[in-house]
Amino acid sequence: MTNLLQNLENVIQERRLIKSGAKVLVAVSGGMDSMVLLHLLATLSRRRKWRLVVAHFNHQLRGRASDLDERLVCQTAAKMKLPVVVERADVKGFAARAKLSIEMAARKLRHEFFARAARKHGAKTIVLAHHADDQVELFFLRLLRGSGSEGLGGMKWKSPSPVDRTIGLVRPLLGSTKADLQSFAAENKVRFREDASNASSDFLRNRIRNELLPLLRKDYQPALSKTVLRLMEIVGAESEFVGDVARYVAVKFEQLPLAAQRRFLQMRLMEAGIGADFDLIESLRQFPDRFVSVGSAISVARDVLGKIKLREEGENKFRADELRIELRGRAGQVRFNGSRFEWRIRKVRSGVGFRRPSSARSKREVFDADRVGGEITLRHWRAGDQFQPIGLKSSVKLQDLFVNAKIPRNRRHELIVAAGESGEIFWVEGLRISENFKVTRETRREMVWIGKRQL
């Protein structure tokens, strides 16, 4: 028996990852990691009496290459006389519709498929091929994204499915390195397919794997993997302790240590189905009984005991008043609903700078005057309004922007927006300017726009 096979069997037994005789769904992509995992489990299943089902999710991201991955998985399963279940999905299309990254969209659809397949085949365990190198990459990925201790603790040997908590995800290769898997594949002539996208710099994880980690190992810490994995073990254990303190210690909220307060609120928010980001947790932690908007009609607060309170906001009516302005001449000003607006139109001259005023109540922006057109409409937010903030590639609903910016529901209806001659919104009070109206190299005339809300 090879070292990798023996180590895998020991890990599964010691950590009680898979029961003898269990129905097991094996997630197989066609890449080296999962193909090696499938061969290892197939060998052990003869002794452990596992009933394996192969599951393959075709992301349809690489055209014919994705189809060839699927074919290899099906051929291998047939050769092993194992049942196989396959599903295809347009991940790129779903990502665009759901406004998710390709990586997050793929993860969501993949786990939903695994959970459905497991339920269909009566499997309570899904085995994934994550290994030690994946853990190290994940640590830096989450570190760069500002994760807390729970995230930096990395993947667990066993955890519930994010889709169905009655189904367990197990990762028996977390103690094995990529090199271990490569050696096994070579020695046992395991067929697998290389994913060309793993070399692409479009994904942050790939840049961490191919650029950052080699640099750190070469110039800073040759034993990087060992050091990081040890740190993740420590951080993960401490994170579990904090979670237990927040969950079980019967003391007043204010008497909990800071870390336990944050974890307590995170757990309560998750139980209520509310996304628990750091800013929301801090706002609730520091200010009891202060409601914070977390949706189009929902606000949340916590009481002195830490209990989460939800409040449905009253229906606010959209305000129909508006003012149309014809841009005659080079400058002008107008008042609208307690605010004063000024504008100046000038030709673009190379080297002309722009200074923002120091007043907190004054908002000055510069737009392409020709894109704005000869008429401006000042009004308030309306149902269905779309806006494309500078830097974004597509428009989003104003309501979603207000929610993300944590603007209270009653305040949203007071904010003023400005639309150009085409009817498209180019300015929203308190938010970024529009991507479609920004000054570019092609701009010939610019409009300086100043909005001052009166006290």
Side-chain angles (χ1 to χ4, degrees):
M1 183 180 291
T2 65
N3 289 337
L4 181 60
L5 188 64
Q6 184 63 64
N7 290 341
L8 180 68
E9 185 171 29
N10 292 341
V11 164
I12 291 174
Q13 287 179 316
E14 291 169 3
R15 295 184 177 271
R16 300 177 181 178
L17 299 181
I18 309 174
K19 296 179 180 179
S20 295
K23 192 74 168 286
V24 178
L25 192 79
V26 188
V28 184
S29 68
M32 185 194 70
D33 305 343
S34 61
M35 293 299 283
V36 166
L37 173 66
L38 178 60
H39 280 75
L40 291 167
L41 293 178
T43 300
L44 293 177
S45 66
R46 297 163 193 157
R47 219 171 26 251
R48 309 289 295 179
K49 293 182 172 37
W50 296 325
R51 292 162 292 156
L52 305 182
V53 177
V54 178
H56 176 78
F57 185 71
N58 187 334
H59 300 80
Q60 296 185 315
L61 291 172
R62 295 163 33 245
R64 185 168 181 270
S66 293
D67 295 336
L68 292 176
D69 294 346
E70 178 184 324
R71 181 188 299 177
L72 174 61
V73 172
C74 291
Q75 288 175 343
T76 305
K79 186 176 181 180
M80 293 180 171
K81 298 181 180 179
L82 296 175
V84 60
V85 55
V86 174
E87 185 171 299
R88 298 183 172 198
D90 178 12
V91 171
K92 188 175 292 186
F94 173 75
R97 292 190 300 274
K99 294 182 173 59
L100 296 172
S101 67
I102 295 291
E103 186 177 15
M104 291 302 296
R107 182 181 185 277
K108 176 178 173 59
L109 293 177
R110 187 168 60 245
H111 277 292
E112 288 176 350
F113 160 64
F114 290 152
R116 284 195 303 273
R119 287 192 294 264
K120 179 180 178 181
H121 289 271
K124 289 295 184 180
T125 300
I126 301 172
V127 188
L128 306 175
H130 298 115
H131 48 74
D133 293 56
D134 291 327
Q135 280 281 60
V136 175
E137 293 168 14
L138 182 62
F139 174 83
F140 284 98
L141 184 68
R142 290 179 171 174
L143 179 68
L144 294 175
R145 289 176 175 171
S147 294
S149 60
E150 187 176 20
L152 295 179
M155 295 175 284
K156 309 302 180 187
W157 292 89
K158 188 170 185 176
S159 61
S161 162
V163 176
D164 186 340
R165 297 186 67 83
T166 66
I167 298 172
L169 304 180
V170 301
R171 303 173 180 89
L173 294 177
L174 283 184
S176 303
T177 66
K178 186 84 169 180
D180 295 332
L181 274 60
Q182 289 171 332
S183 296
F184 181 90
E187 293 171 7
N188 294 274
K189 296 182 173 53
V190 176
R191 293 179 60 204
F192 61 88
R193 286 183 49 76
E194 293 283 0
D195 185 347
S197 65
N198 287 336
S200 171
S201 296
D202 293 340
F203 300 103
L204 178 58
R205 179 185 283 273
N206 290 352
R207 296 198 296 276
I208 290 172
R209 177 191 304 131
N210 302 325
E211 300 171 14
L212 178 61
L213 296 185
L215 174 66
L216 293 176
R217 289 188 176 105
K218 176 177 178 293
D219 294 340
Y220 297 92
Q221 174 54 278
L224 183 70
S225 294
K226 180 180 179 181
T227 302
V228 170
L229 290 171
R230 182 175 60 210
L231 174 61
M232 294 178 79
E233 185 74 23
I234 294 171
V235 170
E238 292 179 351
S239 176
E240 289 182 8
F241 170 74
V242 171
D244 289 341
V245 170
R247 186 179 294 109
Y248 299 119
V249 174
V251 299
K252 293 181 179 180
F253 180 84
E254 303 293 348
Q255 295 175 340
L256 287 172
L258 175 60
Q261 289 182 0
R262 289 171 174 159
R263 181 60 60 81
F264 183 92
L265 291 174
Q266 179 193 43
M267 291 188 296
R268 300 292 87 79
L269 288 168
M270 292 176 65
E271 289 170 0
I274 297 172
D277 63 61
F278 181 80
D279 291 336
L280 174 59
I281 290 173
E282 284 300 278
S283 180
L284 297 178
R285 187 184 67 79
Q286 296 180 47
F287 306 105
D289 295 316
R290 178 187 290 184
F291 280 89
V292 180
S293 177
V294 293
S296 60
I298 296 291
S299 292
V300 62
R302 64 105 177 160
D303 63 18
V304 292
L305 299 177
K307 183 179 178 181
I308 292 297
K309 301 183 291 185
L310 299 179
R311 182 176 72 186
E312 292 189 14
E313 301 291 352
E315 188 64 31
N316 290 293
K317 294 182 179 180
F318 289 95
R319 300 172 64 172
D321 46 334
E322 66 177 38
L323 176 66
R324 294 183 183 274
I325 308 166
E326 291 189 16
L327 299 181
R328 295 177 179 174
R330 296 183 177 180
Q333 63 177 8
V334 69
R335 292 181 182 276
F336 177 71
N337 281 6
S339 295
R340 188 180 73 192
F341 297 90
E342 302 174 12
W343 68 89
R344 296 196 306 273
I345 297 177
R346 63 193 182 191
K347 292 184 179 180
V348 173
R349 291 182 295 163
S350 176
V352 174
F354 171 67
R355 293 181 299 174
R356 291 187 178 274
S358 58
S359 171
R361 292 187 294 108
S362 179
K363 182 67 176 178
R364 182 189 303 235
E365 302 288 0
V366 181
F367 300 93
D368 187 312
D370 294 311
R371 289 180 180 270
V372 172
E375 183 180 273
I376 291 176
T377 300
L378 293 175
R379 60 177 178 81
H380 296 279
W381 167 47
R382 295 173 182 169
D385 270 344
Q386 298 271 332
F387 181 64
Q388 185 174 349
I390 190 167
L392 294 190
K393 295 181 180 180
S394 60
S395 298
V396 296
K397 288 184 178 180
L398 264 183
Q399 176 173 304
D400 294 338
L401 289 178
F402 291 152
V403 171
N404 292 336
K406 296 183 173 59
I407 298 175
R409 184 175 174 81
N410 58 347
R411 169 66 175 152
R412 301 170 199 171
H413 293 269
E414 298 176 1
L415 298 180
I416 298 172
V417 304
E421 188 171 7
S422 67
E424 182 178 355
I425 296 173
F426 67 85
W427 176 83
V428 180
E429 184 182 2
L431 296 180
R432 291 176 288 176
I433 69 173
S434 169
E435 171 73 20
N436 295 332
F437 293 84
K438 68 182 181 182
V439 173
T440 67
R441 293 180 180 179
E442 288 72 38
T443 299
R444 296 294 175 263
R445 297 188 309 142
E446 63 184 17
M447 180 183 74
V448 179
W449 176 259
I450 305 172
K452 297 181 180 179
R453 183 171 285 275
Q454 305 301 298
L455 292 175

